[in-house]
Amino acid sequence: MSKLWGGRFDKATDALLERFNASIGFDRRLYAADIAGSIAYAHALEKVGILTAEETRAMVDGLHAVLAEFDAGTFAFLPSDEDIHTAVERRLGELIGEAAGKLHTGRSRNDQVATDMRLYLLARIPVLREHLLGVQRAIVDKAEAHLNVITPGYTHMQPAQPILFSHWLMSFFWMLQRDLERLDDLTKRVAVMPLGGAALAGNTFGIDREALAVELGFDRISENSLDSIPDRDFVAEMLFWAALLQTHLSRLAEDLILYATAEFGFVELDDAYSTGSSIMPQKKNPDSLELVRGKTGRLVGNLVTLLTTLKGLPSSYDKDLQEDKEPLFDTLDTLELELPIVAGVIDTLRLNAEGMASALRDDLLATELADYLVRQGVPFRQGHHIVGQAVRLALAKGCGLRDLSVADYQTISSYFGDDVHDVLDFRRAIEQRSVPGGTATAAVKVQIEQAKVLWGGRTRKSAMLFS
Ligand code: ARG
């Protein structure tokens, strides 16, 4: 079978180059987008008189038949099918004859592939969005169901101040909320139609690009063919979006892996999300979370791959751009598999409130003592110093801050009164932080309510019914 572009060539393509050049192995998944684009384009050609009504009908019917073959998995690829665009056009010709040759009038694979990629993404983004919401819902459900659980909060991985476990959980909700907002924002830039730009300079037949955009579900048309044909910013944005989301998931995974160790003992992963060791019978490993952490290199790598491909490209289409596909597909596939797993891990996670309680060391309350002194009129810096001495005294005595007597405290500073032990209480320390965004129960409840408002007040179950 001769190539679409074979007219000016004397010799056959080198066999290795043929393989090197072909994208059909990975761009075949664009078939539905490619065919939708061609159906709309046939309508546009009819409107400008390139196709008769009869030819258009035959072409559209033929394209539907090709689509059905792909959907059924019966489409027979030929070695000559260089890419998805070639394969669809070749098959259309077999089904409807010579008239198929009119479909590509005024169109180039350059504007075609750019359009296909955008259509493909517009179809997959809602799926990713639902999966992301699923993780957020799992977080909020868990946070709401275990609002009373107190855990040490850390900075520098050193015990810092007590917090609600739900406050920790909700911190990831907000990271993912920004990811969700970023996804919605970038979708606006995906929904721009380059079709009609042809190879680089624009369509010669006066096709109605606005009507094409409406038919294909784009928000608007691109302004400059030279910009929009090679524009892969939308792919780069998608890959950055995914890399940052993955970074958030990786951090969540890291915390949970640590909290699930025997040494911490704060949480236990469900068996369904753990695996065993081939040699050590006692092992229950958090492989699910380790892979979540591990996929980060891959997703960041996909972003770097694309940016490196785009860097230094001269104006308009270059074949380098074919390298946009595998990183994008790999990232989308990874997240689609991964996000429901993350939701499942959180959903089934068992919290060990006692384990967390036994990790509540007295020095997590040192700030409470300093704040106590502030309320007695001591400048904070001075209070900080005084409490440092109390910490040293406790260390010297081999006891905790709560075990020091009022007399002990008063040897350090006369500002300490009989009521000093009242502030040495984990629950009290938490409830003191009722500022919006703080860890007090009421403040965390506000976060949970805010999260629900963001979903239009839907609870998890009703959200599933509606979706
Ligand atoms: N397979 C190509 C790609 O993915 C399609 C566009 C080819 N255009 C061309 N002028 N050779 O980028």
Side-chain angles (χ1 to χ4, degrees):
M1 163 118 190
S2 66
K3 293 198 156 57
L4 306 171
W5 40 263
R8 62 100 63 221
F9 286 80
D10 288 333
K11 260 174 103 175
T13 317
D14 174 79
L16 284 179
L17 174 60
E18 195 127 298
R19 270 174 58 196
F20 196 53
N21 187 44
S23 54
I24 190 69
F26 46 87
D27 70 11
R28 58 180 66 189
R29 61 162 84 198
L30 297 175
Y31 76 85
D34 194 73
I35 292 171
S38 287
I39 290 173
Y41 195 67
H43 291 145
L45 288 177
E46 181 188 9
K47 276 208 235 162
V48 293
I50 300 289
L51 295 179
T52 64
E54 209 172 307
E55 284 171 329
T56 308
R57 201 170 320 114
M59 197 170 281
V60 170
D61 287 350
L63 286 165
H64 278 297
V66 179
L67 179 65
E69 290 183 4
F70 273 107
D71 282 342
T74 58
F75 185 93
F77 290 98
L78 295 183
S80 56
D81 292 337
E82 181 180 321
D83 54 29
I84 186 63
H85 328 293
T86 326
V88 170
E89 197 178 319
R90 187 264 306 160
R91 182 66 185 137
L92 182 66
E94 290 167 6
L95 293 175
I96 71 165
E98 276 216 335
K102 293 191 177 182
L103 175 61
H104 215 52
T105 312
R107 187 174 65 166
S108 158
R109 279 183 295 164
N110 299 353
D111 60 345
Q112 192 178 359
V113 74
T115 305
D116 288 5
M117 289 287 278
R118 288 170 181 271
L119 282 176
Y120 178 80
L121 259 183
L122 289 174
R124 281 192 81 172
I125 285 173
V127 178
L128 280 174
R129 196 178 190 282
E130 266 312 299
H131 287 322
L132 181 55
L133 280 171
V135 178
Q136 288 187 299
R137 287 183 193 123
I139 289 172
V140 173
D141 281 358
K142 202 75 208 179
E144 193 170 32
H146 301 278
L147 250 179
N148 57 336
V149 178
I150 300 178
T151 194
Y154 300 86
T155 63
H156 310 267
M157 273 316 293
Q158 301 293 321
Q161 289 173 351
I163 56 171
L164 289 186
F165 190 79
S166 298
H167 194 52
W168 172 84
L169 271 170
M170 288 302 290
S171 71
F172 288 95
F173 172 89
W174 297 109
M175 287 179 223
L176 299 184
Q177 183 59 25
R178 291 194 293 277
D179 293 323
L180 193 77
E181 288 169 14
R182 257 187 293 275
L183 183 64
D184 290 342
D185 186 64
L186 74 85
T187 304
K188 289 186 272 179
R189 286 178 293 282
V190 180
V192 180
M193 190 194 74
L195 191 58
L200 73 163
N203 182 288
T204 2
F205 297 93
I207 57 152
D208 183 347
R209 294 187 65 213
E210 294 287 355
L212 262 174
V214 170
E215 181 167 348
L216 287 171
F218 284 103
D219 288 352
R220 59 188 184 87
I221 62 172
S222 61
E223 297 83 358
N224 179 314
S225 60
L226 214 52
D227 165 46
S228 58
I229 302 307
D231 173 19
R232 296 295 181 275
D233 292 2
F234 68 100
V235 182
E237 277 197 71
M238 195 72 210
L239 292 178
F240 169 73
W241 171 81
L244 188 56
L245 164 60
Q246 184 62 39
T247 302
H248 295 149
L249 297 176
S250 179
R251 294 185 58 200
L252 171 71
E254 168 64 12
D255 273 358
L256 284 176
I257 290 167
L258 215 52
Y259 294 167
T261 57
E263 288 74 9
F264 273 83
F266 291 1
V267 298
E268 192 190 337
L269 258 68
D270 196 78
D271 281 4
Y273 293 100
S274 311
T275 54
S277 156
S278 57
I279 174 169
M280 298 166 284
Q282 84 283 12
K283 293 297 290 288
K284 179 170 151 183
N285 297 327
D287 293 37
S288 52
L289 293 170
E290 290 168 276
L291 282 167
V292 169
R293 193 175 55 189
K295 297 286 182 192
T296 313
R298 181 182 184 124
L299 264 59
V300 172
N302 286 338
L303 170 64
V304 174
T305 298
L306 182 77
L307 290 175
T308 312
T309 301
L310 298 181
K311 173 207 164 287
L313 280 188
S315 250
S316 204
Y317 184 84
D318 300 276
K319 198 57 171 272
D320 316 44
L321 290 169
Q322 181 165 286
E323 291 294 314
D324 64 349
K325 291 177 193 58
E326 286 164 293
L328 178 68
F329 297 159
D330 182 66
T331 284
L332 299 177
D333 293 349
T334 301
L335 280 179
E336 260 184 49
L337 188 59
E338 178 187 0
L339 288 168
I341 291 172
V342 176
V345 167
I346 297 168
D347 255 338
T348 57
L349 191 71
R350 273 185 296 284
L351 307 191
N352 178 8
E354 278 165 34
M356 293 186 224
S358 61
L360 293 172
R361 305 156 45 99
D362 282 16
D363 44 355
L364 289 160
L365 298 168
T367 320
E368 306 319 297
L369 280 178
D371 289 352
Y372 169 92
L373 291 173
V374 166
R375 292 198 179 90
Q376 309 297 313
V378 181
F380 180 77
R381 270 296 143 240
Q382 204 181 321
H384 185 286
H385 187 77
I386 294 170
V387 177
Q389 289 175 307
V391 170
R392 262 172 49 198
L393 180 62
L395 274 173
K397 290 193 156 205
C399 68
L401 288 171
R402 286 181 299 179
D403 304 318
L404 293 178
S405 65
V406 172
D408 288 333
Y409 278 109
Q410 287 175 344
T411 60
I412 299 169
S413 166
S414 56
Y415 284 106
F416 286 119
D418 293 347
D419 57 351
V420 59
H421 289 97
D422 293 354
V423 301
L424 294 175
D425 180 87
F426 296 106
R427 171 64 65 184
R428 183 183 181 281
I430 284 175
E431 303 307 347
Q432 286 287 308
R433 289 164 172 79
S434 57
V435 66
T439 192
T441 310
V444 175
K445 276 187 182 160
V446 169
Q447 292 183 50
I448 292 172
E449 288 316 309
Q450 287 171 327
K452 288 181 181 170
V453 168
L454 287 168
W455 298 325
R458 294 184 290 172
T459 65
R460 185 160 200 214
K461 286 198 178 65
S462 61
M464 303 230 287
L465 283 178
F466 283 112
S467 62

